[in-house]
Amino acid sequence: MTEDLLGRHRDVLPDWLALYYQDPLEITHGEGRYVWDAHGTKYLDFFGGILTTMTAHALPEVTKAVTEQAGRIIHSSTLYLNRPMVELAERVAQLSGIPDARVFFTTSGTEANDTALLLATTYRRSNTVLAMRNSYHGRSFSSVGITGNRGWSPTSLSPLQTMYVHGGVRNRGPFAAMDDDGFVRACVDDLTDLLGHTRPPAALIAEPIQGVGGFTSPPDGLYAAFREVLSERGILWIADEVQTGWGRTGDHFWGWQAHDRNGPPDILTFAKGIGNGMSIGGVVARADIMNCLDSNSISTFGGTQVTMAAGLANLTYLLEHDLQGNARRVGGLLIERLRAVAARVPHVREVRGRGLMIGVELTTPGTDRADPDAASAVLEAARAGGLLIGKGGGHNTSALRIAPPLSLTVAEAEEGAAILDHALRSLDQ
């Protein structure tokens, strides 16, 4: 049955639509932190559909909200007043920390970043954008144009002039040997020098923790230091919170808060986890920035009633059950457990991350050379053991990405760590 579906997939879908595993997996249903495939095999899910099933599979509160809303009306577009959209926008605006905030809903993180770029370039009357090396911001023409990860950039054409800044990867590159303070100073000096050679950019867009890049991040405070340089020149800061938002990092509700001495970003983008699988993205910005467009616009599917109902129910569950605190507690235990495992596996260069956003970087033993084959082997071995994880990284996809639903229990964290222990050890066999 799965083999037939794979053949049909290949007959009608693009070759570049990537599939995990040598024998691709069809997931048919899920519950809590577990999913099942078409053969009835059960897996512990440590990837959540790319960090999107944020609270739990088949969460009753979300399922009920979707069902009840679908029984009334599913969709009307933004041409009509929409109570669920207004209610979710009110909550997101308040949680964002951005003063006098306005919210625009989209259907994905890619579209959210597209909108943020449109706002920033219009507001600043500049098509120059600063982005981070090793970054990923989406699949559209404009967001690919600011993605600093060659593996996800199929074209060099772009409507934007993009310049890439140091700092998103702490342990590689020309500043890696410095201590944290020296690293930040060097990155700020590099940014300042870069700005001296170009016309004023519209904005810097940055992920507080780089997602597709392998869950890499700079020292806390780097973006606050960048902000001082940017603010002097009127350059906006766009925080791409598509993967880091909603408490996943444990320490903070938003990733930007690790760099917050200068307050919230000018523009914040979000998606993925807020819908718990429903298609929600969005942009939050100050009113003067959001309202800078001088033409009409709508969204046919952004903010549709059934997705907004899901988002409201999911956000309420997350806050009422303190899933941010759970990510901090259970994520801390999982990171320490994985570091203990890694100490016995020569292929592991680093275990990094915070909360339930954890990266395990694999290299050829005794070197800093990325080992994508090892990452693929661990992915397969973990699946064989009953665990689903992801992979990424700017150096040939050699980092394992671990991002379970935020309701993960201690027992499930231990179960997943034990499977990963066996999968990583299999590299030496």
Side-chain angles (χ1 to χ4, degrees), residues 146-345:
I146 59 165
T147 287
N149 185 320
R150 187 175 66 178
W152 293 89
S153 299
T155 177
S156 61
L157 301 174
S158 174
L160 303 167
Q161 179 185 9
T162 307
M163 295 178 293
Y164 294 101
V165 181
H166 283 293
V169 182
R170 177 64 185 90
N171 68 351
R172 287 186 181 272
F175 308 144
M178 300 177 178
D179 63 18
D180 282 355
D181 289 342
F183 181 91
V184 170
R185 284 195 302 271
C187 291
V188 170
D189 288 345
D190 175 72
L191 172 63
T192 304
D193 180 70
L194 177 63
L195 293 174
H197 296 282
T198 183
R199 298 185 64 82
L204 166 72
I205 184 168
E207 307 157 271
I209 298 176
Q210 295 182 328
V212 171
F215 294 170
T216 62
S217 63
D220 288 355
L222 174 73
Y223 293 119
F226 276 5
R227 188 85 180 278
E228 293 176 3
V229 175
L230 300 174
S231 296
E232 290 173 357
R233 296 159 175 81
I235 302 167
L236 304 178
W237 177 32
I238 303 168
D240 179 342
E241 298 274 359
V242 168
Q243 297 195 32
T244 49
W246 318 110
R248 176 164 288 281
T249 67
D251 293 336
H252 307 288
F253 194 76
W254 303 107
W256 68 259
Q257 291 172 313
H259 308 267
D260 71 350
R261 71 171 182 258
N262 291 320
D266 300 292
I267 303 174
L268 179 152
T269 63
F270 62 86
K272 290 194 182 289
I274 181 61
N276 204 44
M278 298 297 286
S279 184
I280 305 177
V283 183
V284 192
R286 298 194 320 261
D288 61 316
I289 297 173
M290 185 67 82
N291 294 333
C292 74
L293 304 183
D294 62 359
S295 61
N296 294 325
S297 193
I298 63 167
S299 181
T300 302
F301 291 110
T304 196
Q305 284 91 335
V306 72
T307 62
M308 296 294 96
L312 279 164
N314 195 45
L315 182 58
T316 297
Y317 185 91
L318 179 138
L319 295 172
E320 290 182 350
H321 291 80
D322 187 24
L323 295 193
Q324 176 184 336
N326 191 67
R328 181 177 62 253
R329 293 184 296 271
V330 180
L333 291 170
L334 182 56
I335 288 173
E336 290 308 310
R337 177 80 163 81
L338 293 176
R339 284 177 175 157
V341 170
R344 303 188 296 272
V345 179

Side-chain angles (χ1 to χ4, degrees), residues 37-51:
D37 69 13
H39 302 289
T41 305
K42 179 181 178 181
Y43 302 93
L44 179 59
D45 185 3
F46 267 26
F47 203 39
I50 319 177
L51 291 84

Side-chain angles (χ1 to χ4, degrees), residues 310-388:
L312 279 164
N314 195 45
L315 182 58
T316 297
Y317 185 91
L318 179 138
L319 295 172
E320 290 182 350
H321 291 80
D322 187 24
L323 295 193
Q324 176 184 336
N326 191 67
R328 181 177 62 253
R329 293 184 296 271
V330 180
L333 291 170
L334 182 56
I335 288 173
E336 290 308 310
R337 177 80 163 81
L338 293 176
R339 284 177 175 157
V341 170
R344 303 188 296 272
V345 179
H347 280 83
V348 178
R349 182 174 187 262
E350 182 183 33
V351 176
R352 54 180 175 252
R354 35 192 352 155
L356 287 172
M357 192 171 185
I358 305 169
V360 180
E361 185 178 348
L362 303 180
T363 55
T364 303
T367 77
D368 281 341
R369 291 195 304 273
D371 195 339
D373 291 339
S376 295
V378 174
L379 202 76
E380 295 283 355
R383 176 194 173 176
L387 179 71
L388 305 184

